[in-house]
Amino acid sequence: MKRDTFIELMMGRGLRSDLAERIASRFCDWEALCGAESGELAKLFAPPEIDEIQRAKRRREIPRATVKRLITECEFRCCLCWNIDSDSGVLIHHIRFHATAPDDRFENLVVLCADHHDKVHTKRELTRHPYPPELLLRRKDEFAAAITAFKAGKRVAPGREKNAETGMLTAPPLPSPHFVGRDAIARDIVEALESEKGRAAIVGMGGIGKTALALKVADACREKFQGGVLWAEVATDFGGMPEMLRAWIRSLGHDVSGMEIDEQLALFGALLTKRSATNGRLLLLIDDAGERIVKDLVKLASYVPPDVSILMTTREATVGAALVASQFNVEPLERADCRQLLESLSGSALVRMEVSAVDKLLSLLGDLPLAVELVARQIAMRERKPEFSIEGLCRRLEEFDSKILSFPGHRGIAMSFALSYEHLDQDEQRVFRSFGVFAFGPLNTVSVAAIAAASEDAMEETLDRLVVVSMLNWGAGVGDYRLHPLMHKYAEFLFGRTDESEQSATRVRFYQQYTSTATAAAKDAPGNLQAIDRILPNLTKAIHCAAASGDYSAVTETVLGLCANMGFFMSRNLDREAMPLLEVAISAAKHRGDRDSESACIGHLGSACARLGVIRKAIGHFEQAIAIARTTGNAYDLASHLHNLGSTLLSEAADIPRAERLLHEALLMAGPSMNADVVIGSLSTLGTLHRDVGNLKEAARLYERALEAARLAGNRLAEGNNLSNLGLITDQLGNSEEGERMIREALAIAVEIDDVRGEGNRTGHLGGILFAKASRLPPGPERSKILNSARELLATALQLAQETGDVEKAGSWEMNLANICMLEGRFTEGITMYEGVLDMAKAKGFARLEAQVRFNLGLALVPIGEPQARDALNHFRTSRALLRKMGSPTAAKVETYINRLTDLLAKPN
């Protein structure tokens, strides 16, 4: 009998799910359980549990199909608890009591945890029972509907709805119910997390129980950290800290598409501050942090507010030291605790009977919890086998091939892994070896079944079997599983030692599964970036596998689908990660002789370099892509490459005349080839070029054309951007009323399409227009009223910029708020704000903002006195140099201030 079927049968006879699972791990079917002697049951189960088993034997079985439907619809969770993350055992309850109305229809049944089951049955001296039948029926239907909607991706999981407006936290798994010992160190860690510093690092070798201790501490701290616990496992083959950061920001309810890493960090800090203020103190739990990401972690920690605590696990003491965390070194378990863990997990009386053999076994395993858990599962399954003994088990461990034990780490870990693997059947061993082809991270039934060439139903049964023997853990979602990092390394070790034919076939199925999934998403759902987020580590590995296997078509189609169709790497700010994949795709295109794909990939590589600030390489790639596109006559791609090169040169103020020529040529090529994005982008960029050099009328004409093209293409984002730019130019040309109207219309578009960054920018622009209007008025009530309105708009823009991580715009709006302070006569406050913006602009390399704030700061310092006037002169000179480099006509204006101030300071007092 299949294990799942056996569990359903037992639940249909009234047994709790957790007891049914323990029974299924010791007996193969119902007949074996019924045939067990009372003495045998007494060794395995507590007296109350034996009573439950005896009652189940006498009870009529609920139809198996009904039981399956019940537990499937509720995911083995209690509908009254309303918590998908609960690990409480459940049982089937008759809404109208079984003794008086033996009705086994689905409509009369509900799944409850033991606690709620007891409460439902409790006799109360109340006029109304707290859980009447109609409430149970309604709650059952609501919970089933919520589970269904969650599986379809239409809502958060039941129990995770709290504070949905501030996001659904990536919560850690619950601690093991078999956790033993280490109470003192757990208390010390909790105390460190509650201290002012609030940082702790759990340090120890692999398999020693760092994660189990961290989960125990996090669970014990839940009441102290009312804001929640954010968890991440960072021992991944791809992404590291940036992927962890993106996942955390998404769990806090925000999107990071198109944001630079510094913007993401600033946004993350702002979100933590907001959640902490709203919900209470937070804890960040970072599991398996290594030295390779220590610099990233230090940078992340610098953005974390002081009232947010950090707990990490690591194998290297240098990681905790870098974050100035309190270090807690974890040693192997005390022998008494280790023995208790072995007995608790195995449920075997042999642990007490074979005392010396158990000591020998634990010595072989190094008293490491992971090794003990694996061996305990083997004891639990094999203790009833004739002639089984722990002494014999020790002999088997000592006999393992030295090559098997060459696996890195403590020999006890290798022994326990080898023992567990040895007792799997051939199909299970093959599945476990296949884990080695995956990147480290969550596994799911569908993908593993595809790579192992098995049905999903059969694979789910195999994976559940691996969970039973502790070689896997269940994951957070339906069909998801978690693999210990060391267990993944062991699977890689075994996969690398298997025969070449199995390796080759597995790798082919692996890369075909993930590249086909990605190309399908790029064609059918290019906006669904989360579909790629979920598979990115494996997809990256799959692309390299495809290249190594000579499937160059799969490589180019996949990479171009991600870059061109989806804009995935740009949206997710993963340009650095995209570059090696683009290099692989360029090589694949060359192998195929596909010059168009080669040109396209080189162009995307140039764009990635430009966004990363590697400008010389970007220019070289664009020029190479242009040369190929001219050779092949691909006007569409040529237009894109010309536009990208022109925009890059313009952004760096490098050869502006050439940039203008390239943009005009891009326009010329884009029209006939129907490249609407380049038409819009080139017109808009040319408009900005003319605005920066003071040619406002030509800038307005170009923005008008870009606006018309955006409307024709139905591109609402580009429509809003160009309408806003046109409004600013119209205001500068003297028609403030029409300029304000355009910006307000652009603001409405941003709100409509949920463009939060655009909403913030246009709100700030409106504040700037009102400030300019107020500055032209004499002091009085009208000016004060307009200034207050400007201040409100600019404060809102600042908040939106901070929430979206737009650091440069946040500085710009703060500078404008400082301008209001200066106009109102609050000079000290205004100068302090200017200085804060200047420090940020210099640190981030925001040249345009630095030039603006230095000019404003110079104006503010001149009237104070001679020492400050000399500081003002230095600010003016630096501002002039920056503006000249950008080709801005404002440099001439600054020049006049420099000349006047120089003459003034040269005059004798």
Side-chain angles (χ1 to χ4, degrees):
M1 177 179 287
K2 289 185 178 180
R3 184 173 182 274
D4 289 348
T5 304
F6 186 19
I7 291 173
E8 291 165 6
L9 182 153
M10 289 186 282
M11 291 188 69
R13 288 179 173 271
L15 289 176
R16 302 189 320 274
S17 61
D18 51 343
L19 177 56
E21 287 177 356
R22 286 172 51 212
I23 293 171
S25 68
R26 289 168 171 81
F27 296 93
C28 61
D29 54 27
W30 180 251
E31 288 72 23
L33 175 63
C34 292
E37 299 291 338
S38 58
E40 183 180 6
L41 293 176
K43 292 179 182 179
L44 299 173
F45 305 105
E49 293 173 333
I50 294 174
D51 290 341
E52 286 186 55
I53 293 170
Q54 298 302 338
R55 285 197 297 272
K57 291 178 181 179
R58 298 190 297 268
R59 196 167 184 176
R60 184 184 73 257
E61 181 185 348
I62 298 171
R64 201 80 49 82
T66 302
V67 174
K68 189 174 186 67
R69 180 183 173 189
L70 277 167
I71 61 180
T72 299
E73 288 192 2
C74 72
E75 282 293 311
F76 279 92
R77 300 296 188 270
C78 171
C79 69
L80 293 179
C81 289
W82 195 270
N83 183 8
I84 199 169
D85 297 315
S86 171
D87 63 346
S88 300
V90 293
L91 70 164
I92 297 172
H93 168 71
H94 287 76
I95 296 173
R96 291 175 178 79
F97 295 150
H98 192 243
T100 57
D103 181 358
D104 291 337
R105 292 176 303 124
F106 174 82
E107 293 74 16
N108 191 46
L109 302 170
V110 66
V111 175
L112 300 175
C113 65
D115 182 52
H116 276 116
H117 185 259
D118 290 343
K119 290 177 180 178
V120 169
H121 277 289
T122 299
K123 300 293 183 183
R124 296 174 180 267
E125 299 301 323
L126 297 174
T127 56
R128 178 175 174 82
H129 196 283
Y131 301 107
E134 57 272 19
L135 173 62
L136 293 177
L137 287 167
R138 186 176 75 248
R139 192 69 164 181
K140 169 189 171 184
D141 292 342
E142 291 172 349
F143 189 63
I147 290 287
T148 301
F150 165 60
K151 290 179 179 179
K154 297 179 180 178
R155 61 157 286 153
V156 299
R160 297 175 182 168
E161 301 93 341
K162 285 186 177 181
N163 309 310
E165 63 193 23
T166 51
M168 179 185 73
L169 296 191
T170 309
L174 292 168
S176 168
H178 301 286
F179 186 89
V180 296
R182 296 176 172 165
D183 293 332
I185 192 173
R187 286 194 297 271
D188 291 343
I189 295 170
V190 171
E191 186 177 330
L193 293 174
E194 292 176 352
S195 69
E196 185 176 351
K197 183 167 66 173
R199 295 182 183 180
I202 301 174
V203 185
M205 65 185 296
I208 206 164
K210 301 182 297 295
T211 299
L213 176 58
L215 295 179
K216 185 72 174 178
V217 167
D219 191 59
C221 288
R222 287 185 188 276
E223 290 189 6
K224 296 178 176 65
F225 292 95
Q226 292 290 319
V229 181
L230 273 170
W231 171 73
E233 191 172 36
V234 293
T236 58
D237 294 340
F238 184 92
M241 192 280 285
E243 174 55 31
M244 175 182 77
L245 178 62
R246 287 190 293 273
W248 276 352
I249 292 175
R250 286 195 296 269
S251 77
L252 288 165
H254 285 257
D255 186 22
V256 296
S257 297
M259 293 175 61
E260 300 291 337
I261 189 68
D262 285 343
E263 294 174 328
Q264 294 180 32
L265 287 164
L267 171 60
F268 183 57
L271 293 174
L272 291 179
T273 299
K274 179 179 179 181
R275 189 177 183 97
S276 183
T278 305
N279 302 82
R281 195 171 180 181
L282 282 138
L283 171 65
L284 307 183
L285 174 50
I286 304 171
D287 193 21
D288 207 7
E291 282 187 334
R292 65 185 179 83
I293 64 164
V294 69
K295 290 183 180 179
D296 289 336
L297 287 176
V298 170
K299 189 171 185 179
L300 170 71
S302 69
Y303 285 83
V304 173
D307 59 343
V308 175
S309 296
I310 301 176
L311 173 62
M312 71 195 80
T313 69
T314 180
R315 300 177 201 178
E316 296 109 357
T318 51
V319 175
L323 272 76
V324 198
S326 301
Q327 305 250 30
F328 296 90
N329 293 304
V330 181
E331 301 296 336
L333 276 176
E334 296 289 336
R335 182 55 56 86
D337 292 331
C338 220
R339 186 185 295 275
Q340 181 184 342
L341 179 62
L342 184 69
E343 183 175 5
S344 172
L345 287 165
S346 69
S348 174
L350 294 176
V351 176
R352 296 194 179 188
M353 294 168 60
E354 297 188 52
V355 178
S356 60
V358 167
D359 278 336
K360 182 179 181 180
L361 173 66
L362 297 177
S363 294
L364 286 170
L365 300 179
D367 293 307
L368 298 175
L370 176 60
V372 172
E373 179 179 352
L374 288 164
V375 173
R377 299 298 187 191
Q378 296 301 317
I379 293 173
M381 290 190 296
R382 285 165 177 75
E383 66 167 341
R384 296 174 64 242
K385 186 177 181 180
E387 299 182 359
F388 175 85
S389 68
I390 293 178
E391 180 63 42
L393 185 62
C394 291
R395 288 195 297 271
R396 179 65 192 111
L397 290 175
E398 292 174 322
E399 291 170 358
F400 276 122
D401 185 342
S402 60
K403 291 183 180 178
I404 293 291
L405 300 185
S406 66
F407 177 69
H410 191 283
R411 284 172 61 88
I413 293 290
M415 287 177 176
S416 63
F417 286 2
L419 181 70
S420 298
Y421 177 75
E422 178 184 68
H423 286 99
L424 300 176
D425 65 32
Q426 287 189 355
D427 286 339
E428 290 166 345
Q429 288 183 347
R430 184 171 59 84
V431 169
F432 181 79
R433 287 195 302 270
S434 76
F435 296 164
V437 77
F438 288 87
F440 175 75
L443 298 168
N444 69 79
T445 307
V446 175
S447 297
V448 179
I451 277 71
S455 71
E456 291 179 26
D457 288 343
M459 184 52 61
E460 184 173 8
E461 191 171 327
T462 298
L463 296 177
D464 285 348
R465 152 90 170 154
L466 293 176
V467 171
V468 170
V469 296
S470 293
M471 297 182 79
L472 267 182
N473 290 305
W474 279 299
V478 177
D480 288 340
Y481 297 83
R482 291 174 52 243
L483 188 65
H484 191 283
L486 285 178
M487 196 66 78
H488 179 253
K489 292 292 184 186
Y490 189 61
E492 286 183 322
F493 174 76
L494 293 176
F495 183 72
R497 297 179 77 244
T498 194
D499 65 83
E500 190 60 38
S501 61
E502 179 181 328
Q503 289 188 45
S504 177
T506 303
R507 287 194 178 101
V508 168
R509 288 194 295 268
F510 172 75
Y511 84 69
Q512 288 178 343
Q513 167 70 12
Y514 286 103
T515 57
S516 63
T517 300
T519 52
K523 290 176 182 176
D524 302 331
N528 187 8
L529 302 186
Q530 290 187 354
I532 305 301
D533 287 333
R534 289 190 289 269
I535 65 170
L536 188 55
N538 283 308
L539 178 58
T540 301
K541 195 170 183 180
I543 290 168
H544 287 286
C545 276
S549 300
D551 192 343
Y552 303 122
S553 177
V555 173
T556 54
E557 186 177 0
T558 303
V559 174
L560 285 175
L562 292 170
C563 294
N565 291 26
M566 302 187 81
F568 176 80
F569 295 105
M570 180 185 68
S571 296
R572 290 296 192 240
N573 192 33
L574 288 172
D575 293 306
R576 199 174 302 281
E577 290 83 352
M579 289 171 70
L581 297 179
L582 284 163
E583 295 280 9
V584 171
I586 291 167
S587 177
K590 288 178 178 178
H591 274 97
R592 295 177 63 203
D594 185 349
R595 298 285 277 166
D596 281 340
S597 292
E598 182 185 352
S599 170
C601 290
I602 292 172
H604 285 296
L605 185 58
S607 295
C609 288
R611 287 190 291 269
L612 290 170
V614 191
I615 301 304
R616 285 189 179 180
K617 282 191 175 181
I619 291 171
H621 291 314
F622 288 139
E623 288 175 338
Q624 187 182 0
I626 288 170
I628 297 172
R630 289 192 195 280
T631 302
T632 61
N634 188 327
Y636 188 96
D637 282 359
L638 177 59
S640 297
H641 301 324
L642 290 166
H643 170 257
N644 289 334
L645 178 55
S647 298
T648 301
L649 291 171
L650 183 60
S651 67
E652 294 299 310
D655 199 347
I656 292 177
R658 183 189 179 199
E660 186 173 6
R661 289 196 302 273
L662 288 165
L663 290 167
H664 279 293
E665 186 182 357
L667 263 179
L668 189 65
M669 303 301 297
S673 64
M674 303 298 289
N675 193 332
D677 289 339
V678 169
V679 170
I680 297 166
S682 295
L683 287 169
S684 183
T685 306
L686 284 167
T688 301
L689 185 154
H690 283 278
R691 183 179 68 184
D692 287 346
V693 298
N695 192 352
L696 300 184
K697 289 185 177 180
E698 178 62 12
R701 187 185 71 82
L702 289 163
Y703 282 138
E704 284 176 348
R705 288 182 61 193
L707 176 61
E708 181 183 354
R711 285 172 172 165
L712 190 63
N715 188 332
R716 294 286 276 167
L717 178 64
E719 180 185 355
N721 289 339
N722 284 286
L723 185 60
S724 179
N725 287 332
L726 184 57
L728 291 172
I729 292 291
T730 303
D731 175 64
Q732 287 180 272
L733 288 169
N735 192 345
S736 297
E737 186 175 334
E738 178 62 10
E740 182 178 343
R741 184 199 65 76
M742 289 178 175
I743 295 173
R744 288 191 183 279
E745 185 181 343
L747 174 60
I749 292 173
V751 173
E752 174 195 330
I753 65 175
D754 199 26
D755 175 17
V756 180
R757 184 170 294 195
E759 179 184 351
N761 290 345
R762 283 140 216 179
T763 302
H765 292 325
L766 289 171
I769 288 175
L770 289 180
F771 170 74
K773 186 184 295 185
S775 64
R776 294 191 291 267
L777 295 173
E782 186 179 358
R783 186 169 85 166
S784 296
K785 181 180 178 181
I786 295 174
L787 278 178
N788 284 334
S789 297
R791 185 175 13 252
E792 289 179 7
L793 289 167
L794 288 165
T796 300
L798 174 60
Q799 181 182 349
L800 291 171
Q802 289 171 338
E803 287 182 0
T804 56
D806 193 339
V807 181
E808 186 172 11
K809 279 298 181 183
S812 179
W813 306 137
E814 189 166 353
M815 180 182 69
N816 277 269
L817 287 168
N819 293 342
I820 293 177
C821 289
M822 299 303 295
L823 190 61
E824 292 178 331
R826 294 182 286 121
F827 303 120
T828 302
E829 183 180 350
I831 290 171
T832 301
M833 292 174 71
Y834 283 146
E835 290 173 340
V837 175
L838 177 59
D839 288 342
M840 181 275 293
K842 290 192 297 182
K844 300 294 184 183
F846 297 147
R848 190 182 301 275
L849 179 60
E850 182 182 350
Q852 290 174 330
V853 75
R854 281 188 182 277
F855 179 70
N856 290 350
L857 190 53
L859 292 176
L861 291 173
V862 167
I864 298 177
E866 183 176 337
Q868 289 79 10
R870 294 192 181 280
D871 289 340
L873 184 59
N874 290 331
H875 285 305
F876 285 147
R877 285 170 174 166
T878 306
S879 177
R880 178 186 60 185
L882 291 167
L883 290 167
R884 278 179 174 173
K885 186 177 179 182
M886 291 182 281
S888 172
T890 310
K893 178 181 177 182
V894 180
E895 180 76 26
T896 61
Y897 280 89
I898 292 172
N899 293 335
R900 290 176 189 173
L901 189 54
T902 302
D903 292 343
L904 181 66
L905 292 172
K907 291 180 181 179
N909 293 331

